[in-house]
Amino acid sequence: MVVAAGTIAIMQSEQGRPPKEAGLRVLVEPETVTSVREDGTMQLESSRTGSTYLCGPMGTAMWIALRQYAGHVEPAVELLAVRWNKNPCRLRADFDTFIGELEDADLVSVVE
């Protein structure tokens, strides 16, 4: 399956199933809506809290990868690390920052 976000295409393998020891999982808070704006950026918005978050291309790709893997962080990191030929440890740090910002905006919660 290919998911396109602007000019970003992500190939998904293994039908998005995370391994049993997937680690952290990002859960979307109730009433959080994702939309693509006219300028191509992705916006997350909570009608419950009024919080909004705009994603550039990297954030959009991370969000799509997380959603493909039902919020499981490690397989999402692995997917993009391979796709972008990037060090998984460094990319994981980018994911952690991204997820922390979404948590601060009350758009997601994280469970182990």
Side-chain angles (χ1 to χ4, degrees):
M1 173 197 302
V2 177
V3 177
T7 58
I8 300 169
I10 302 170
M11 297 293 295
Q12 179 180 350
S13 61
E14 299 180 24
Q15 299 177 17
R17 294 191 182 126
K20 289 186 180 179
E21 61 279 345
L24 291 181
R25 185 167 180 214
V26 176
L27 302 176
V28 179
E29 288 294 328
E31 300 180 33
T32 297
V33 177
T34 306
S35 58
V36 177
R37 297 164 34 124
E38 287 184 28
D39 64 1
T41 58
M42 186 181 75
Q43 178 175 313
L44 302 171
E45 184 173 10
S46 171
S47 59
R48 181 176 54 86
T49 65
S51 296
T52 60
Y53 186 90
L54 295 178
C55 298
M58 186 172 185
T60 299
M62 288 191 288
W63 179 259
I64 291 169
L66 285 168
R67 301 305 299 146
Q68 285 179 328
Y69 286 99
H72 293 275
V73 176
E74 289 307 318
V77 170
E78 291 172 22
L79 173 74
L80 292 182
V82 169
R83 177 74 176 127
W84 292 340
N85 193 30
K86 190 166 181 179
N87 179 312
C89 293
R90 289 186 181 172
L91 187 57
R92 175 57 195 258
D94 293 336
F95 264 84
D96 289 343
T97 299
F98 176 65
I99 292 165
E101 290 172 355
L102 295 178
E103 267 189 302
D104 290 346
D106 293 322
L107 298 166
V108 302
S109 58
V110 178
V111 295
E112 290 190 45

